Amino acid sequence: MNAESDERREAAADGDDAAAHRLGSRAPHFVRRSRPLHLSWQAGVFVVGLAVVVAGVIMLPLPGPGWLVIFAGMAIWATEFVWAQLVLRWTKRKVTEAAKRALDPKVRRRNIALTAAGFVIIAVLLGIYVSTHGLRLPWHTGR
């Protein structure tokens, strides 16, 4: 048994009929009929998804939408691989939960207080720097 059929069976057992239809390969029917063609298709999807994910990882320390590109690569993989579909579902669930927690009034007040405290600390450090060194910027060596 392959993982695709196991996932479909589990989703159907959970009563999530729509999820059962969404798991698995989204390759065209003529591709899925031929095993060699389907394996080639999967290899192509994997390589394209890998290239996009690697580009996203490279963008993480550089300017650019690194995480967005990584998730785009995962979405490419999810068109063909059940494991990527499950990772994307888990990620979407966690992001939704985090967004709900962030909108909680207690959490918002705490975040606002922490942000304000951070700004005060930065302002104090900046004031200390200016009083010690004047308005000279650190990258100007005075030459």
Side-chain angles (χ1 to χ4, degrees):
M1 276 212 182
N2 62 20
E4 182 179 332
S5 63
D6 293 342
E7 292 302 327
R8 287 177 191 239
R9 198 171 287 121
E10 287 175 14
D14 292 340
D16 190 4
D17 196 31
H21 293 292
R22 282 183 263 143
L23 287 176
S25 176
R26 293 194 180 108
H29 182 66
F30 73 92
V31 171
R32 284 182 278 153
R33 276 188 304 181
S34 169
R35 182 156 174 79
L37 187 58
H38 193 226
L39 288 175
S40 300
W41 179 276
Q42 285 181 326
V45 168
F46 183 79
V47 169
V48 170
L50 182 65
V52 173
V53 168
V54 168
V57 169
I58 291 170
M59 283 186 211
L60 286 176
L62 300 174
W67 284 110
L68 184 64
V69 174
I70 290 171
F71 289 129
M74 288 296 297
I76 291 169
W77 279 337
T79 63
E80 194 58 35
F81 303 107
V82 173
W83 61 266
Q85 294 168 0
L86 296 174
V87 167
L88 282 178
R89 284 185 186 176
W90 178 84
T91 303
K92 182 178 179 183
R93 188 173 59 247
K94 291 298 180 182
V95 167
T96 304
E97 290 170 6
K100 285 180 184 176
R101 278 195 313 268
L103 293 175
D104 180 24
K106 290 180 183 178
V107 175
R108 288 187 73 197
R109 280 192 296 271
R110 184 198 68 201
N111 289 345
I112 290 170
L114 289 172
T115 303
F119 279 130
V120 168
I121 290 170
I122 290 171
V124 167
L125 292 174
L126 191 61
I128 291 170
Y129 177 83
V130 168
S131 68
T132 305
H133 300 288
L135 288 175
R136 191 180 83 230
L137 296 174
W139 49 87
H140 289 148
T141 59
R143 290 183 221 172

